[in-house]
């Protein structure tokens, strides 16, 4: 579980990540569909409120996970559905995401790289995650200008105090990364 912070460095949620074995990493042979199912099953077994202290669990969802309605096994106030960057915004997927949002689930775009085809997802998003290691500062600022202000931006892979401060100055409101663990 990796904490997600606000600008006051208060924990607002946790990304629940699938890790297996002694390497504590996502095994290459593991499929995303199964990993998400495993996280949901563990969360239901342990209890999401116990895992997150009652805060929202951010969980990656594949196209298949979205289509099967897997998210609906978790109470909406405890789940943020992270749409993986590999998910294409087909009519069926957008409709399923619209249904989730209408039911009260937060919609999060993971590892976001702007492309016009993602506009339907942007319109549904509550939060968009920007990889601060992969994105130069000018592009980070540009994204805040073109993404609607109603959408929170989450800076992920924040490695330093400088990254954190820069994100705050650019209008990012949520943060995640190793800087906070140090």
């Amino acid at each position: 579980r990796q904490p997600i912070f606000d600008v006051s460095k208060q924990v607002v949620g946790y990304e629940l990540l699938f890790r297996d074995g002694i390497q504590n990493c996502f095994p290459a042979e593991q499929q995303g569909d199964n990993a998400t199912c495993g996280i949901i099953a563990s969360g239901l077994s342990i209890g999401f409120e116990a895992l997150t202290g009652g805060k929202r669990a951010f969980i990656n969802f594949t196209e298949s996970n979205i289509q099967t309605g897997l998210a609906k096994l978790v109470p909406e106030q405890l789940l943020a559905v992270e749409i993986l960057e590999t998910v294409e915004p087909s009519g069926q997927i957008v409709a399923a995401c619209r249904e989730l949002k209408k039911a009260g689930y937060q919609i999060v775009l993971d590892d976001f790289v702007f492309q016009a085809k993602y506009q339907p997802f942007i319109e549904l998003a509550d939060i968009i995650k920007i990889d601060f290691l992969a994105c130069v500062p000018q592009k980070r600022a540009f994204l805040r200008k073109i993404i609607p202000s109603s959408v929170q931006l989450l800076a992920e892979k924040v490695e330093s105090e400088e990254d954190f401060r820069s994100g705050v100055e650019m209008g990012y409101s949520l943060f995640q990364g190793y800087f906070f663990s140090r």
Side-chain angles (χ1 to χ4, degrees), residues 16 36-52 57 59 73-75 78:
L16 301 182
T36 300
C37 289
I39 291 171
I40 298 285
S42 293
L44 292 171
S45 173
I46 296 166
F48 279 97
E49 288 199 20
L51 267 175
T52 65
I59 300 175
L73 294 174
V74 181
L78 293 176

Side-chain angles (χ1 to χ4, degrees), residues 1-4 13-17 56-60 82 110 129 156 176:
R1 122 188 141 148
Q2 190 176 77
I4 296 171
Y14 293 93
E15 181 169 6
L16 301 182
L17 300 162
R56 221 175 264 276
F58 287 62
I59 300 175
N60 292 326
E82 284 198 30
D110 191 28
K129 295 176 83 172
E156 62 178 341
Q176 182 178 8

